[in-house]
Amino acid sequence: MFGKTKLFSFILILTAFVLAGCKQQEQATDQRGLRLPESPLLTFLEHKSGLIAYVGSDGNVYTVNQTGKNPAQITDDAAVEGDSQRYYQYPTWSPDSKSLTFFSLSGSDQSDLETAIYVADDDGQNKVEVYKADDGSRPVYLSWSPDSANITFIATIAGSSGLSFNMVPAAGGEIQVLDTGSPYYWDWRPDGSGMFIHAGGARTADPLARLSFLSLADGVVEDGLLLKPATFQSPAFSPDGARLLLAAENADGKNALLLTDLSGEIQNELTTFETSVAFDWSPDGKQVAFIHSTEASFTVGKLNLVDADDPTKLVEVDQEDIVAFYWSPDSKKVAYFVPVRAPVTDSSGQPTQDTQLILKMYVADAITGKSTLLWTFVPTQEFLQTMLFFDQYARSSTIWSPDSQNLVVPIFLPDESAAGIILVPASGNVQPRFLQQGTMAFWSWK
Protein backbone atom coordinates (compact mmCIF):
# COMPACT_ATOMS: atom_id res chain seq x y z
CA MET A 1 0.00 0.00 0.00
CA PHE A 2 2.01 2.93 1.29
CA GLY A 3 5.06 4.24 -0.54
CA LYS A 4 7.11 5.83 2.25
CA THR A 5 6.94 4.23 5.63
CA LYS A 6 7.30 7.12 8.04
CA LEU A 7 3.73 6.61 9.05
CA PHE A 8 3.31 9.43 11.51
CA SER A 9 4.52 12.00 8.97
CA PHE A 10 1.63 11.11 6.66
CA ILE A 11 -0.76 12.97 8.91
CA LEU A 12 1.29 16.14 8.78
CA ILE A 13 1.78 15.81 5.03
CA LEU A 14 -1.94 15.40 4.41
CA THR A 15 -2.82 18.34 6.60
CA ALA A 16 -0.29 20.58 4.89
CA PHE A 17 -1.40 19.50 1.41
CA VAL A 18 -5.07 19.93 2.09
CA LEU A 19 -4.67 23.28 3.76
CA ALA A 20 -2.59 24.51 0.86
CA GLY A 21 -5.35 23.51 -1.56
CA CYS A 22 -8.30 24.90 0.38
CA LYS A 23 -9.90 27.90 -1.28
CA GLN A 24 -12.62 28.58 1.27
CA GLN A 25 -12.48 30.31 4.62
CA GLU A 26 -15.27 29.28 6.97
CA GLN A 27 -16.20 29.42 10.60
CA ALA A 28 -15.96 26.00 12.22
CA THR A 29 -19.15 24.50 13.59
CA ASP A 30 -19.26 24.51 17.39
CA GLN A 31 -19.08 20.78 18.07
CA ARG A 32 -19.78 21.14 21.78
CA GLY A 33 -23.42 21.57 20.83
CA LEU A 34 -23.92 17.88 20.00
CA ARG A 35 -27.42 16.85 21.05
CA LEU A 36 -29.69 13.87 20.77
CA PRO A 37 -32.47 13.75 18.15
CA GLU A 38 -35.70 15.58 19.02
CA SER A 39 -37.05 12.49 20.78
CA PRO A 40 -34.51 10.79 23.10
CA LEU A 41 -36.53 7.58 22.65
CA LEU A 42 -35.47 7.46 19.00
CA THR A 43 -32.02 6.23 20.04
CA PHE A 44 -33.55 3.15 21.61
CA LEU A 45 -36.45 2.55 19.22
CA GLU A 46 -34.64 2.94 15.90
CA HIS A 47 -33.55 -0.13 13.96
CA LYS A 48 -30.03 -1.20 14.91
CA SER A 49 -27.80 -2.04 11.96
CA GLY A 50 -24.48 -3.80 12.49
CA LEU A 51 -21.76 -2.86 14.97
CA ILE A 52 -19.13 -0.13 15.10
CA ALA A 53 -15.52 -1.02 15.89
CA TYR A 54 -13.47 1.85 17.26
CA VAL A 55 -10.22 2.72 18.98
CA GLY A 56 -11.01 4.39 22.28
CA SER A 57 -9.18 7.38 23.67
CA ASP A 58 -7.32 4.92 25.92
CA GLY A 59 -5.80 3.15 22.88
CA ASN A 60 -7.92 -0.01 23.24
CA VAL A 61 -10.31 -1.52 20.69
CA TYR A 62 -14.06 -1.68 21.37
CA THR A 63 -17.30 -2.51 19.56
CA VAL A 64 -20.66 -0.87 20.13
CA ASN A 65 -24.01 -0.57 18.36
CA GLN A 66 -25.37 2.74 17.12
CA THR A 67 -26.83 3.72 20.48
CA GLY A 68 -23.28 4.06 21.84
CA LYS A 69 -24.31 2.19 24.98
CA ASN A 70 -22.47 -0.67 26.72
CA PRO A 71 -19.47 -1.13 24.41
CA ALA A 72 -17.73 -4.50 24.33
CA GLN A 73 -14.04 -4.25 25.17
CA ILE A 74 -11.90 -6.17 22.68
CA THR A 75 -8.52 -5.27 24.22
CA ASP A 76 -7.68 -4.06 27.71
CA ASP A 77 -3.89 -3.67 27.90
CA ALA A 78 -3.18 -0.38 26.10
CA ALA A 79 -1.09 1.75 28.44
CA VAL A 80 1.50 4.48 28.81
CA GLU A 81 4.25 3.79 31.35
CA GLY A 82 6.96 6.43 31.41
CA ASP A 83 8.44 6.66 27.92
CA SER A 84 6.97 3.31 26.90
CA GLN A 85 3.52 2.89 25.43
CA ARG A 86 1.25 0.27 23.88
CA TYR A 87 -1.75 1.06 21.73
CA TYR A 88 -3.92 -0.45 18.99
CA GLN A 89 -4.80 0.78 15.52
CA TYR A 90 -7.25 0.27 12.65
CA PRO A 91 -9.78 -2.41 13.60
CA THR A 92 -10.92 -4.00 10.34
CA TRP A 93 -14.11 -6.07 10.04
CA SER A 94 -14.20 -9.46 8.35
CA PRO A 95 -16.61 -9.68 5.39
CA ASP A 96 -18.96 -11.87 7.45
CA SER A 97 -18.81 -9.23 10.24
CA LYS A 98 -18.13 -11.84 12.89
CA SER A 99 -14.48 -10.98 13.54
CA LEU A 100 -12.03 -8.10 13.71
CA THR A 101 -8.36 -7.82 12.91
CA PHE A 102 -6.20 -5.00 14.29
CA PHE A 103 -2.58 -4.35 15.15
CA SER A 104 -0.69 -3.14 18.19
CA LEU A 105 2.43 -1.04 18.57
CA SER A 106 4.51 -0.98 21.72
CA GLY A 107 7.86 0.42 22.84
CA SER A 108 9.45 3.77 23.49
CA ASP A 109 10.92 4.52 20.06
CA GLN A 110 11.65 2.95 16.67
CA SER A 111 14.69 1.07 18.01
CA ASP A 112 12.65 -1.11 20.38
CA LEU A 113 9.34 -1.11 18.49
CA GLU A 114 7.29 -4.29 18.74
CA THR A 115 4.25 -4.86 16.58
CA ALA A 116 1.63 -7.58 16.41
CA ILE A 117 -1.55 -8.39 14.49
CA TYR A 118 -4.55 -9.92 16.27
CA VAL A 119 -7.87 -11.46 15.32
CA ALA A 120 -10.81 -11.56 17.73
CA ASP A 121 -14.56 -12.14 17.74
CA ASP A 122 -16.77 -9.06 17.75
CA ASP A 123 -17.21 -9.43 21.53
CA GLY A 124 -13.49 -9.84 22.24
CA GLN A 125 -13.56 -13.63 22.62
CA ASN A 126 -11.13 -16.04 20.92
CA LYS A 127 -8.40 -13.45 20.52
CA VAL A 128 -5.44 -14.80 18.53
CA GLU A 129 -2.04 -13.25 17.80
CA VAL A 130 -1.32 -14.05 14.14
CA TYR A 131 1.82 -11.96 13.57
CA LYS A 132 4.57 -10.48 15.70
CA ALA A 133 7.75 -8.54 14.91
CA ASP A 134 10.39 -6.98 17.15
CA ASP A 135 12.89 -5.93 14.47
CA GLY A 136 11.39 -2.48 13.90
CA SER A 137 9.16 -3.55 11.01
CA ARG A 138 5.46 -2.81 11.32
CA PRO A 139 2.14 -3.53 9.63
CA VAL A 140 0.53 -0.49 8.05
CA TYR A 141 -2.65 -1.83 6.44
CA LEU A 142 -4.88 -4.89 6.89
CA SER A 143 -7.38 -6.58 4.58
CA TRP A 144 -9.49 -9.75 4.89
CA SER A 145 -9.95 -12.38 2.20
CA PRO A 146 -13.54 -12.52 0.90
CA ASP A 147 -14.24 -15.79 2.76
CA SER A 148 -13.08 -14.27 6.10
CA ALA A 149 -10.44 -17.01 6.40
CA ASN A 150 -7.21 -15.08 5.83
CA ILE A 151 -5.62 -11.72 6.60
CA THR A 152 -3.47 -9.95 4.03
CA PHE A 153 -1.30 -7.09 5.19
CA ILE A 154 1.45 -4.73 4.17
CA ALA A 155 4.45 -4.46 6.48
CA THR A 156 7.54 -2.34 6.41
CA ILE A 157 10.86 -4.16 5.97
CA ALA A 158 13.39 -3.39 8.68
CA GLY A 159 16.36 -1.46 7.34
CA SER A 160 14.71 -0.96 3.96
CA SER A 161 12.32 1.44 2.25
CA GLY A 162 10.47 -1.51 0.72
CA LEU A 163 7.22 -3.15 1.75
CA SER A 164 6.26 -6.81 2.00
CA PHE A 165 2.83 -8.13 1.06
CA ASN A 166 1.87 -10.98 3.38
CA MET A 167 -0.95 -13.40 4.17
CA VAL A 168 -1.72 -15.34 7.34
CA PRO A 169 -4.69 -17.54 8.32
CA ALA A 170 -7.16 -15.73 10.57
CA ALA A 171 -6.97 -18.65 13.00
CA GLY A 172 -3.18 -18.29 13.18
CA GLY A 173 -0.48 -20.21 11.36
CA GLU A 174 2.31 -19.79 8.86
CA ILE A 175 2.86 -16.30 7.45
CA GLN A 176 3.31 -16.31 3.68
CA VAL A 177 5.14 -13.52 1.85
CA LEU A 178 3.23 -13.04 -1.40
CA ASP A 179 5.16 -10.17 -2.97
CA THR A 180 7.22 -7.04 -2.34
CA GLY A 181 7.14 -3.52 -3.73
CA SER A 182 6.67 0.13 -2.87
CA PRO A 183 4.17 1.66 -3.05
CA TYR A 184 1.86 -1.37 -3.01
CA TYR A 185 -1.91 -1.64 -3.48
CA TRP A 186 -4.30 -4.50 -4.20
CA ASP A 187 -7.87 -5.71 -4.36
CA TRP A 188 -9.06 -9.25 -3.66
CA ARG A 189 -10.96 -11.13 -6.33
CA PRO A 190 -14.47 -11.61 -4.93
CA ASP A 191 -14.13 -15.39 -5.25
CA GLY A 192 -10.99 -15.32 -3.08
CA SER A 193 -8.78 -17.08 -5.63
CA GLY A 194 -6.29 -14.24 -5.75
CA MET A 195 -5.94 -10.50 -6.13
CA PHE A 196 -4.95 -7.79 -8.57
CA ILE A 197 -1.97 -5.70 -7.51
CA HIS A 198 -0.50 -2.32 -8.40
CA ALA A 199 3.12 -1.96 -7.33
CA GLY A 200 5.70 0.76 -7.89
CA GLY A 201 3.43 3.68 -8.72
CA ALA A 202 3.31 5.14 -12.24
CA ARG A 203 5.52 3.80 -15.03
CA THR A 204 6.65 7.34 -15.84
CA ALA A 205 8.20 7.57 -12.35
CA ASP A 206 9.34 3.96 -11.94
CA PRO A 207 10.19 1.78 -14.96
CA LEU A 208 9.50 -1.31 -12.82
CA ALA A 209 5.97 -0.24 -11.87
CA ARG A 210 3.56 -3.08 -12.65
CA LEU A 211 -0.04 -4.22 -12.84
CA SER A 212 -0.51 -7.94 -12.21
CA PHE A 213 -2.91 -10.69 -11.27
CA LEU A 214 -1.73 -12.82 -8.37
CA SER A 215 -3.25 -16.30 -8.32
CA LEU A 216 -3.25 -18.33 -5.11
CA ALA A 217 -4.75 -21.51 -6.56
CA ASP A 218 -1.42 -23.33 -6.88
CA GLY A 219 1.16 -21.41 -4.90
CA VAL A 220 1.63 -17.76 -5.83
CA VAL A 221 1.58 -17.19 -9.60
CA GLU A 222 1.94 -13.68 -11.04
CA ASP A 223 0.48 -12.80 -14.42
CA GLY A 224 1.55 -9.29 -15.39
CA LEU A 225 -0.22 -6.98 -17.81
CA LEU A 226 1.52 -5.08 -20.57
CA LEU A 227 -0.39 -1.92 -19.65
CA LYS A 228 1.72 0.94 -18.28
CA PRO A 229 0.27 2.06 -14.92
CA ALA A 230 -0.66 5.74 -14.61
CA THR A 231 -0.76 7.73 -11.36
CA PHE A 232 -3.37 6.09 -9.13
CA GLN A 233 -3.45 3.95 -6.01
CA SER A 234 -5.78 0.99 -5.64
CA PRO A 235 -7.28 -1.11 -8.45
CA ALA A 236 -10.83 -2.43 -7.97
CA PHE A 237 -12.66 -5.58 -9.02
CA SER A 238 -16.32 -5.23 -9.88
CA PRO A 239 -18.61 -6.65 -7.18
CA ASP A 240 -19.39 -9.69 -9.36
CA GLY A 241 -15.68 -10.26 -10.03
CA ALA A 242 -16.09 -10.18 -13.81
CA ARG A 243 -14.39 -6.84 -14.49
CA LEU A 244 -11.57 -4.69 -13.20
CA LEU A 245 -10.91 -0.97 -12.89
CA LEU A 246 -7.39 0.41 -13.18
CA ALA A 247 -5.57 3.47 -14.56
CA ALA A 248 -3.00 3.15 -17.32
CA GLU A 249 -1.82 4.72 -20.56
CA ASN A 250 -4.24 4.22 -23.44
CA ALA A 251 -3.34 3.63 -27.08
CA ASP A 252 -2.80 7.37 -27.56
CA GLY A 253 -0.37 7.58 -24.63
CA LYS A 254 -2.89 9.44 -22.43
CA ASN A 255 -3.68 8.56 -18.82
CA ALA A 256 -7.03 6.78 -18.73
CA LEU A 257 -9.39 5.08 -16.30
CA LEU A 258 -9.93 1.71 -17.92
CA LEU A 259 -12.40 -1.11 -17.48
CA THR A 260 -10.89 -4.50 -18.37
CA ASP A 261 -11.92 -8.13 -18.37
CA LEU A 262 -10.15 -10.76 -16.27
CA SER A 263 -7.45 -11.23 -18.88
CA GLY A 264 -6.60 -7.54 -18.76
CA GLU A 265 -8.15 -6.78 -22.14
CA ILE A 266 -9.62 -3.27 -22.27
CA GLN A 267 -13.41 -3.26 -22.53
CA ASN A 268 -14.12 0.42 -21.99
CA GLU A 269 -12.40 3.74 -21.37
CA LEU A 270 -14.32 5.69 -18.76
CA THR A 271 -12.30 8.91 -18.75
CA THR A 272 -8.88 10.39 -19.42
CA PHE A 273 -7.04 12.54 -16.90
CA GLU A 274 -3.98 14.76 -16.64
CA THR A 275 -2.57 14.21 -13.12
CA SER A 276 -4.05 11.34 -11.09
CA VAL A 277 -7.32 9.56 -10.41
CA ALA A 278 -9.02 7.71 -7.54
CA PHE A 279 -12.09 5.51 -8.05
CA ASP A 280 -14.46 2.85 -6.75
CA TRP A 281 -17.39 0.74 -7.93
CA SER A 282 -20.88 1.18 -6.56
CA PRO A 283 -21.77 -1.96 -4.55
CA ASP A 284 -24.32 -2.98 -7.20
CA GLY A 285 -21.67 -2.71 -9.95
CA LYS A 286 -23.69 -0.32 -12.09
CA GLN A 287 -21.74 2.90 -11.55
CA VAL A 288 -18.18 4.04 -10.99
CA ALA A 289 -17.28 7.08 -8.89
CA PHE A 290 -13.98 8.81 -9.58
CA ILE A 291 -12.11 11.96 -8.69
CA HIS A 292 -10.06 13.76 -11.32
CA SER A 293 -7.32 14.85 -8.95
CA THR A 294 -5.42 18.06 -9.52
CA GLU A 295 -2.54 16.69 -7.44
CA ALA A 296 -0.36 13.59 -7.84
CA SER A 297 0.63 13.15 -4.18
CA PHE A 298 -2.90 13.18 -2.76
CA THR A 299 -6.45 13.23 -4.04
CA VAL A 300 -8.38 16.48 -4.42
CA GLY A 301 -10.73 17.44 -7.22
CA LYS A 302 -14.18 16.98 -8.73
CA LEU A 303 -16.21 13.86 -8.05
CA ASN A 304 -17.90 12.21 -11.03
CA LEU A 305 -20.39 9.33 -11.21
CA VAL A 306 -20.45 7.39 -14.47
CA ASP A 307 -22.42 4.45 -15.84
CA ALA A 308 -19.97 1.53 -16.02
CA ASP A 309 -21.39 0.40 -19.37
CA ASP A 310 -22.00 3.80 -20.95
CA PRO A 311 -19.38 6.49 -20.18
CA THR A 312 -21.59 9.13 -21.84
CA LYS A 313 -23.94 8.85 -18.85
CA LEU A 314 -21.92 10.94 -16.42
CA VAL A 315 -22.98 13.11 -13.49
CA GLU A 316 -20.69 15.64 -11.81
CA VAL A 317 -21.27 16.16 -8.09
CA ASP A 318 -22.02 19.78 -7.21
CA GLN A 319 -19.03 20.58 -4.96
CA GLU A 320 -15.35 21.34 -5.56
CA ASP A 321 -12.09 20.18 -3.91
CA ILE A 322 -13.30 16.77 -2.74
CA VAL A 323 -10.65 14.67 -0.99
CA ALA A 324 -12.38 11.33 -0.30
CA PHE A 325 -15.67 9.53 -0.99
CA TYR A 326 -17.49 6.39 0.18
CA TRP A 327 -20.42 4.58 -1.51
CA SER A 328 -23.45 3.65 0.57
CA PRO A 329 -24.18 -0.10 0.68
CA ASP A 330 -27.44 0.39 -1.28
CA SER A 331 -25.55 2.25 -4.07
CA LYS A 332 -27.98 5.16 -3.88
CA LYS A 333 -25.69 7.69 -2.19
CA VAL A 334 -22.06 8.74 -1.98
CA ALA A 335 -20.65 10.40 1.13
CA TYR A 336 -17.71 12.73 0.55
CA PHE A 337 -15.55 15.32 2.28
CA VAL A 338 -14.41 18.83 1.37
CA PRO A 339 -11.59 20.40 3.43
CA VAL A 340 -11.74 24.07 4.38
CA ARG A 341 -9.69 26.38 6.58
CA ALA A 342 -11.31 27.93 9.62
CA PRO A 343 -10.05 30.42 12.19
CA VAL A 344 -9.15 29.08 15.61
CA THR A 345 -11.19 30.85 18.27
CA ASP A 346 -9.95 31.99 21.66
CA SER A 347 -11.56 31.31 25.03
CA SER A 348 -14.09 34.07 24.43
CA GLY A 349 -15.11 32.64 21.07
CA GLN A 350 -13.35 35.30 19.00
CA PRO A 351 -11.34 34.22 15.91
CA THR A 352 -7.54 34.35 16.14
CA GLN A 353 -4.90 34.60 13.41
CA ASP A 354 -4.42 30.82 13.45
CA THR A 355 -6.41 28.44 11.26
CA GLN A 356 -7.36 24.79 11.56
CA LEU A 357 -8.43 22.10 9.13
CA ILE A 358 -12.11 21.23 9.15
CA LEU A 359 -14.08 18.88 6.92
CA LYS A 360 -17.45 19.54 5.36
CA MET A 361 -19.27 16.22 5.10
CA TYR A 362 -21.79 15.81 2.27
CA VAL A 363 -23.92 13.04 0.84
CA ALA A 364 -24.76 13.07 -2.86
CA ASP A 365 -27.58 11.39 -4.74
CA ALA A 366 -26.00 8.84 -7.09
CA ILE A 367 -28.40 9.65 -9.94
CA THR A 368 -28.53 13.44 -9.86
CA GLY A 369 -25.28 14.35 -8.09
CA LYS A 370 -27.20 16.79 -5.89
CA SER A 371 -25.59 17.06 -2.46
CA THR A 372 -26.76 17.62 1.10
CA LEU A 373 -24.40 19.08 3.70
CA LEU A 374 -24.52 16.78 6.73
CA TRP A 375 -22.01 18.31 9.10
CA THR A 376 -18.80 20.30 9.54
CA PHE A 377 -16.18 19.03 11.98
CA VAL A 378 -12.51 18.81 12.93
CA PRO A 379 -11.26 15.29 12.04
CA THR A 380 -8.94 13.20 14.15
CA GLN A 381 -5.41 12.61 12.88
CA GLU A 382 -6.17 8.92 12.44
CA PHE A 383 -9.12 9.68 10.19
CA LEU A 384 -7.00 12.08 8.15
CA GLN A 385 -4.47 9.33 7.59
CA THR A 386 -7.07 6.98 6.12
CA MET A 387 -8.29 9.76 3.85
CA LEU A 388 -4.85 10.01 2.26
CA PHE A 389 -5.40 6.42 1.08
CA PHE A 390 -9.18 6.39 1.11
CA ASP A 391 -9.55 4.32 -2.07
CA GLN A 392 -7.46 1.49 -0.57
CA TYR A 393 -9.30 1.69 2.75
CA ALA A 394 -12.63 1.58 0.91
CA ARG A 395 -11.67 -1.93 -0.29
CA SER A 396 -11.47 -3.19 3.30
CA SER A 397 -13.56 -0.91 5.54
CA THR A 398 -16.64 1.29 5.55
CA ILE A 399 -17.98 4.26 7.52
CA TRP A 400 -21.56 3.49 6.39
CA SER A 401 -24.08 1.48 8.40
CA PRO A 402 -25.24 -1.71 6.62
CA ASP A 403 -28.72 -0.22 6.09
CA SER A 404 -27.28 2.94 4.46
CA GLN A 405 -29.04 5.18 6.98
CA ASN A 406 -26.08 6.46 9.04
CA LEU A 407 -22.36 7.11 8.96
CA VAL A 408 -19.72 7.09 11.66
CA VAL A 409 -16.84 9.58 11.87
CA PRO A 410 -14.16 10.28 14.49
CA ILE A 411 -13.81 13.96 15.35
CA PHE A 412 -11.52 16.11 17.45
CA LEU A 413 -13.06 18.57 19.88
CA PRO A 414 -10.44 21.36 20.12
CA ASP A 415 -12.12 23.14 23.02
CA GLU A 416 -12.16 19.93 25.04
CA SER A 417 -8.86 18.41 23.79
CA ALA A 418 -10.73 15.15 23.27
CA ALA A 419 -11.73 12.87 20.40
CA GLY A 420 -15.18 11.41 19.90
CA ILE A 421 -16.94 8.83 17.75
CA ILE A 422 -20.00 10.45 16.17
CA LEU A 423 -23.02 8.97 14.38
CA VAL A 424 -24.17 11.14 11.47
CA PRO A 425 -27.62 10.42 9.94
CA ALA A 426 -27.39 10.34 6.15
CA SER A 427 -30.73 12.11 5.75
CA GLY A 428 -29.31 15.39 7.03
CA ASN A 429 -32.56 15.89 8.95
CA VAL A 430 -31.38 14.68 12.36
CA GLN A 431 -28.54 16.03 14.46
CA PRO A 432 -25.34 13.95 14.71
CA ARG A 433 -24.90 12.32 18.10
CA PHE A 434 -21.98 11.39 20.30
CA LEU A 435 -21.38 7.65 20.82
CA GLN A 436 -18.12 7.21 22.72
CA GLN A 437 -14.70 8.79 23.13
CA GLY A 438 -12.34 7.50 20.45
CA THR A 439 -10.01 8.30 17.58
CA MET A 440 -10.94 5.93 14.74
CA ALA A 441 -14.07 3.94 13.79
CA PHE A 442 -15.45 1.65 11.10
CA TRP A 443 -18.88 0.09 10.70
CA SER A 444 -19.39 -3.66 10.15
CA TRP A 445 -20.50 -4.88 6.73
CA LYS A 446 -23.56 -6.69 8.09
Side-chain angles (χ1 to χ4, degrees):
M1 178 184 173
F2 305 104
K4 299 297 182 181
T5 58
K6 295 180 180 178
L7 198 59
F8 296 115
S9 67
F10 289 157
I11 300 164
L12 299 177
I13 292 171
L14 176 61
T15 303
F17 279 153
V18 173
L19 286 175
C22 293
K23 298 177 181 178
Q24 298 163 285
Q25 293 277 353
E26 297 199 4
Q27 189 73 27
T29 299
D30 184 356
Q31 296 162 88
R32 293 170 299 175
L34 290 173
R35 61 181 185 272
L36 293 174
E38 292 182 7
S39 171
L41 291 176
L42 182 59
T43 302
F44 303 98
L45 297 177
E46 66 186 4
H47 172 69
K48 310 303 186 295
S49 182
L51 289 173
I52 297 163
Y54 69 96
V55 178
S57 295
D58 62 356
N60 282 305
V61 176
Y62 299 81
T63 61
V64 71
N65 69 18
Q66 66 198 60
T67 68
K69 306 299 183 182
N70 303 315
Q73 189 159 9
I74 310 301
T75 68
D76 60 6
D77 58 348
V80 176
E81 298 179 1
D83 293 333
S84 182
Q85 59 182 326
R86 177 183 178 86
Y87 58 96
Y88 293 89
Q89 287 191 324
Y90 300 103
T92 303
W93 285 100
S94 59
D96 63 11
S97 297
K98 296 179 180 179
S99 303
L100 287 164
T101 186
F102 46 90
F103 60 86
S104 68
L105 297 98
S106 58
S108 57
D109 55 42
Q110 188 69 28
S111 63
D112 70 346
L113 180 69
E114 291 188 358
T115 62
I117 298 175
Y118 299 90
V119 175
D121 295 346
D122 62 9
D123 59 0
Q125 300 298 308
N126 301 312
K127 181 180 169 184
V128 178
E129 181 183 272
V130 298
Y131 167 88
K132 187 173 184 178
D134 58 5
D135 60 359
S137 62
R138 60 184 296 170
V140 292
Y141 173 75
L142 306 169
S143 175
W144 288 83
S145 61
D147 61 2
S148 301
N150 295 284
I151 310 295
T152 45
F153 64 96
I154 286 293
T156 63
I157 300 173
S160 167
S161 61
L163 300 170
S164 63
F165 179 39
N166 313 275
M167 183 170 71
V168 63
E174 182 180 355
I175 298 171
Q176 186 178 9
V177 179
L178 304 179
D179 199 3
T180 59
S182 181
Y184 202 98
Y185 304 90
W186 75 95
D187 192 24
W188 273 94
R189 287 184 62 155
D191 64 5
S193 63
M195 58 279 293
F196 189 82
I197 67 99
H198 171 212
R203 185 67 62 83
T204 53
D206 183 351
L208 299 180
R210 56 196 163 97
L211 299 168
S212 300
F213 290 96
L214 290 188
S215 173
L216 304 179
D218 186 18
V220 181
V221 178
E222 181 173 0
D223 184 13
L225 302 189
L226 295 178
L227 292 171
K228 299 178 181 179
T231 302
F232 79 108
Q233 294 184 157
S234 178
F237 278 102
S238 60
D240 64 3
R243 297 183 289 180
L244 181 69
L245 282 172
L246 55 87
E249 292 184 17
N250 64 13
D252 298 324
K254 295 181 178 180
N255 296 328
L257 176 57
L258 304 174
L259 191 155
T260 79
D261 62 18
L262 295 188
S263 67
E265 290 295 320
I266 298 173
Q267 292 186 331
N268 220 338
E269 183 177 297
L270 299 184
T271 188
T272 58
F273 59 94
E274 292 293 329
T275 307
S276 66
V277 68
F279 48 84
D280 197 12
W281 291 89
S282 61
D284 63 9
K286 295 180 180 179
Q287 286 181 283
V288 171
F290 65 89
I291 293 178
H292 273 300
S293 181
T294 57
E295 300 287 342
S297 301
F298 66 103
T299 299
V300 59
K302 290 287 292 186
L303 175 61
N304 302 268
L305 310 174
V306 62
D307 188 303
D309 296 313
D310 185 358
T312 64
K313 296 179 179 179
L314 183 143
V315 174
E316 191 175 70
V317 171
D318 56 3
Q319 295 295 321
E320 304 280 347
D321 298 329
I322 295 165
V323 295
F325 66 84
Y326 304 89
W327 279 100
S328 64
D330 63 8
S331 300
K332 295 179 179 180
K333 301 178 283 290
V334 183
Y336 65 89
F337 299 88
V338 176
V340 296
R341 287 178 295 175
V344 176
T345 56
D346 59 24
S347 58
S348 65
Q350 295 301 309
T352 68
Q353 295 299 313
D354 297 325
T355 61
Q356 63 184 344
L357 172 67
I358 64 173
L359 294 177
K360 297 177 70 176
M361 182 179 185
Y362 293 86
V363 65
D365 181 273
I367 301 302
T368 66
K370 184 177 179 180
S371 301
T372 300
L373 176 63
L374 300 183
W375 203 31
T376 302
F377 64 95
V378 180
T380 64
Q381 293 182 337
E382 290 80 0
F383 189 48
L384 281 177
Q385 184 178 309
T386 66
M387 294 181 74
L388 186 61
F389 305 96
F390 80 92
D391 49 348
Q392 179 74 97
Y393 277 97
R395 312 290 184 258
S396 60
S397 301
T398 182
I399 61 174
W400 279 94
S401 62
D403 62 4
S404 300
Q405 297 302 303
N406 298 291
L407 300 106
V408 63
V409 292
I411 74 166
F412 180 66
L413 301 167
D415 294 333
E416 300 177 15
S417 296
I421 306 301
I422 308 298
L423 180 143
V424 183
S427 66
N429 297 325
V430 182
Q431 285 287 334
R433 67 172 180 257
F434 176 87
L435 299 180
Q436 287 286 335
Q437 288 192 349
T439 60
M440 191 63 236
F442 294 114
W443 220 304
S444 62
W445 300 104
K446 299 177 181 180

